Amino acid sequence: MARKVIESVTCDACSKKGLEVPGTVNLTVMGDRYDLCDEHGARFRDQLAAALAPAVDAALSA
């Protein structure tokens, strides 16, 4: 009999709250990988952009 294995990827941030939301975004930071839903992916993208924007602007102006 043939078997088919289906892997479900859930959002790591939502899983901490006990929710099972599909993970659609991958975030990798220095080798650590996180699967995130669209909402958490956008939230972390915005936070990283805000945190890194001054440093990027300063480097470009130098």
Side-chain angles (χ1 to χ4, degrees):
M1 178 189 301
R3 292 182 186 238
K4 185 175 185 179
V5 177
I6 299 174
E7 181 178 290
S8 175
V9 178
T10 58
C11 174
D12 293 329
C14 290
S15 293
K16 286 191 164 199
K17 299 176 189 174
L19 303 173
E20 288 191 22
V21 178
T24 57
V25 177
N26 294 316
L27 172 65
T28 304
V29 178
M30 298 188 65
D32 293 332
R33 180 180 164 183
Y34 304 94
D35 296 305
L36 303 169
C37 63
D38 288 337
E39 179 184 344
H40 281 110
R43 188 179 303 169
F44 283 111
R45 179 194 63 228
D46 293 344
Q47 289 175 357
L48 283 171
L52 297 175
V56 171
D57 292 341
L60 291 175
S61 66

